Each structure stands twice: as C-alpha cells, then as structure tokens.
Amino acid sequence: MGLEDLGDLALHLIMSKLDAKEAAILSCVNKRLRVSASEERLWRKFCADDLDLLAPEDPDGNTVPSFKAAYQIWRKVFIMSPWLLIRRVKRCWNTIKSWMAANFPEAGGTLRKGASEAEIKEMEDTLGVKLPLPTKVLYRFCDGQDITSVFSSGSERGSSLGLIGGYSFYDHVVNVYLLPLSQVIAETKEFVRHLGFSNRSKYIVVAASSTYGEKLFFLNCSNAQLYVGTKNLSIDGEMIACVPSTLINSVHNFHGNQQQDAMLLWLEEHGRRLHSGIIGLRGEGDVRSINLFPESPPLCSTAATNGVQYPLLYPDGKEFVYESCTPLTSSSGSIEGAFTFVPGRLTEPKGMPFDVKVARFLLKVPDYVF
C-alpha cells in the first residue's frame, strides 16, 4: 500500500510529523498528496512551530489569506537568511514587544517596521562595514525606534521612551534609544568626526541616549561585539564590552545554524530582564521610562546632612532604598562597613545608638553590561 492509498486521517497524521519543507516535497508526488499537503490546519501548525504565528500574517504584521500563504511569504522575504536564525530573532522581538504591549505601549509605538535588504546595504556601503548576520536580521524585523524629532532637533520630547532604558542620578539623566539605520549613519559619522576615529573604523553607533554625550552603544562589525562608552570615551575612546565574547559565534556564516552576535544576545537578555522584573518601569503617566535600576525610594520621612541621608524606619513599613554611585579605578571592588541605628529619632533618641555590620560584598563588571 502506498501513501496515496491511505485514508485521509492516516495521511494527515503522517503529514503532521513532517516539517514544511518535507510536506512541500511530498506535495509534488501526485494530486492527492498535494491536496493533503495544502490543508490549512497543517500550515497553521508549521507557522506556529516555526514562527510562533497564531494568525496568518506577513513579516510587517499584515493579514494574508492563509497560513500557507503566510509561510511562503516569510520564506520568500528571508530567502537569504538561515531559517533557524529567523525563528530565533522573531522570538527575541516577540519577547520585547509583548512586554511593551502589556507594560509600556507608548514606547512600543515607537518601534519601526523592518528595514529592507536595500536599506541595509545602503547603510553598509555608506559606512564601509558589513553587518554581522544576526544584527542584519534584527534590523529586518525592526528598524530601531522612531526618534527623529528627539535626535535631529535636540528636543527632549519623548525622551523617556527609549527601548534600551536608562537611569537618573544626581544631574545625570540617561534614556537610550535603539537607532534606526538612518540615524546609525548620522551618529556614526559624528562619532568618527568628534572622537578622531578612522573613517575605516568598523564601529557603528547602534543606540544612544537622547541626552547627548551621556551614553552610546557601539557595534564592532568585525568581531560582532557590542560596546558601551565609559566616561573616558571622549578622552581616549574607552569602551566596555557588553556581552561575554566567548558566546559570539558564526556571525558572518550564512550556512551555519548557530549564529549569535552581541546584539542578538544582548537584546535576548534585555527581554528576559524585562519579563522577570529585574528591569522595570519608573514614573507614571507621560513620564514613565524603562529603568535599569527599578527600585524606587519609597515616600518616607528623611533628613539629610552633606548628602548623607538619615531615614526614619517604621515597623512593618516599606524598605528604604538609597541610590548612589562612585567611580572605580579598576573593574572590581568591594563594600563593607556598618550602619548606625538610633532608637527613636536623631533629635529625640530613645536609647543608645547601635551598629549593624554590613558583610563585605564584591563589586565587579557583570557578564552583561547595560
């Protein structure tokens, strides 16, 4: 008995064990198998398994007539890219966009549709670089954020909507946007001019704070590492790698199945931190922003002298959180000491002061730098 002699249910069960390519090949055998291989429920499964598609949509989110048509369009659009990488990048963006939709739709609304192959090539030719393959696919799905009004005019309007997020302390306000390709070109040219880098440099600016000079992220298109500039960036071009270099792999190999560069790894980690709450939102209404340090000091009575704070702590009350910073001359350090507590108030003590020791804990540059 051949496949064409099987009942419809048995044939469907066999088809469901195949992948999309195998089903397409089998459809070429005869008319009966072609009809079976064209069933919508079969292609619904392929779209769900391969692309996490729950509705028949093209890469721009437009509805198409069927799941089979959707799968064919995706294959055609990304014909030059490894399929496993396409699936991975789509999941990466799905993770970020789902969090945005649920928690920060204002920022999600700034995400642009994907760039075309022609637009990517224009950027590469203009800057004389070749994007690592995972970064190229990332831009095919999303061409950064719509931030023209912020960067071209120096305006602070909308400056809290950066996808990368940021922080504020003392007089520093940092909120970082993922740049669209047109802005990558403009910011990279400025970077080369102001910092004296060679025009043949393989560094491109891929993310920047809307407050100029505060924070810049650079992608090295040769080694596929992502870097963030330090406070010495304008002095000697100092940067810190954002991702463990040992994880970067096969970034210019179109035929492998393990491609991952620092941009993809970093955005995947960013998505995980958003969903886990390690990175969260700060503020309310129109002034919300993604904050890399989500803890926010609660409203409690405090006194301060020369920058030192003396909070009032109450039984069963909220914890007091104090944010501070200091420059380190090395990549590691430590903190230890003690907190002095006074029963009652400093001005009205109800007992003798006592110290609570703080055990030594290490400070070091983490594997992923944000």
Side-chain angles (χ1 to χ4, degrees), residues 307-328:
V308 179
Q309 297 197 26
Y310 301 90
L312 286 173
L313 304 179
Y314 298 94
D316 300 321
K318 291 183 177 180
E319 72 276 10
F320 175 76
V321 178
Y322 174 63
E323 294 179 0
S324 186
C325 64
T326 186
L328 292 178

Side-chain angles (χ1 to χ4, degrees), residues 107 110 144-148 150-151 155-165 175-180 205-211 215 217:
T110 69
Q145 293 184 264
D146 189 5
I147 55 174
T148 304
V150 175
F151 279 82
S155 168
E156 293 301 311
R157 183 174 66 83
S159 62
S160 65
L161 302 181
L163 165 65
I164 307 303
N175 198 268
V176 182
Y177 285 81
L178 183 64
L179 301 180
V205 182
V206 292
S209 173
S210 57
T211 49
K215 195 167 187 179
F217 284 84

Side-chain angles (χ1 to χ4, degrees), residues 109-183:
T110 69
L111 297 178
R112 297 163 56 90
K113 71 176 184 179
S116 67
E117 288 282 355
E119 289 170 327
I120 291 174
K121 187 176 187 306
E122 179 183 2
M123 186 279 292
E124 292 177 323
D125 292 344
T126 300
L127 298 179
V129 299
K130 181 177 177 60
L131 284 182
L133 184 56
T135 293
K136 181 180 291 189
V137 176
L138 283 165
Y139 271 101
R140 290 299 311 278
F141 276 88
C142 177
D143 184 15
Q145 293 184 264
D146 189 5
I147 55 174
T148 304
S149 61
V150 175
F151 279 82
S152 63
S153 64
S155 168
E156 293 301 311
R157 183 174 66 83
S159 62
S160 65
L161 302 181
L163 165 65
I164 307 303
Y167 47 82
S168 62
F169 62 93
Y170 303 144
D171 59 343
H172 296 269
V173 178
V174 174
N175 198 268
V176 182
Y177 285 81
L178 183 64
L179 301 180
L181 292 178
S182 60
Q183 203 69 32

Side-chain angles (χ1 to χ4, degrees), residues 149-323:
S149 61
V150 175
F151 279 82
S152 63
S153 64
S155 168
E156 293 301 311
R157 183 174 66 83
S159 62
S160 65
L161 302 181
L163 165 65
I164 307 303
Y167 47 82
S168 62
F169 62 93
Y170 303 144
D171 59 343
H172 296 269
V173 178
V174 174
N175 198 268
V176 182
Y177 285 81
L178 183 64
L179 301 180
L181 292 178
S182 60
Q183 203 69 32
V184 168
I185 295 173
E187 295 296 314
T188 300
K189 287 182 175 179
E190 282 294 301
F191 158 69
V192 169
R193 183 169 65 87
H194 284 298
L195 298 184
F197 275 57
S198 167
N199 287 324
R200 294 190 298 275
S201 168
K202 299 305 178 185
Y203 288 98
I204 61 173
V205 182
V206 292
S209 173
S210 57
T211 49
Y212 277 102
E214 291 288 356
K215 195 167 187 179
L216 295 170
F217 284 84
F218 305 88
L219 178 68
N220 185 316
C221 294
S222 294
N223 65 11
Q225 178 60 275
L226 185 68
Y227 297 87
V228 62
T230 72
K231 69 173 185 176
N232 295 325
L233 177 66
S234 60
I235 300 172
D236 58 14
E238 184 179 63
M239 306 176 192
I240 299 175
C242 295
V243 172
S245 296
T246 54
L247 298 181
I248 298 172
N249 186 52
S250 302
V251 294
H252 293 297
N253 180 6
F254 281 75
H255 304 291
N257 58 7
Q258 298 294 326
Q259 299 93 339
Q260 53 185 32
D261 65 359
M263 277 285 285
L264 176 56
L265 289 163
W266 194 95
L267 284 172
E268 286 177 330
E269 180 65 17
H270 189 53
R272 282 192 289 269
R273 294 188 181 205
L274 287 170
H275 279 274
S276 67
I278 297 176
I279 294 174
L281 286 177
R282 170 173 290 180
E284 298 179 357
D286 294 334
V287 295
R288 294 192 304 166
S289 61
I290 295 175
N291 189 39
L292 301 181
F293 310 105
E295 299 87 357
S296 181
L299 296 176
C300 60
S301 299
T302 63
T305 303
N306 295 327
V308 179
Q309 297 197 26
Y310 301 90
L312 286 173
L313 304 179
Y314 298 94
D316 300 321
K318 291 183 177 180
E319 72 276 10
F320 175 76
V321 178
Y322 174 63
E323 294 179 0

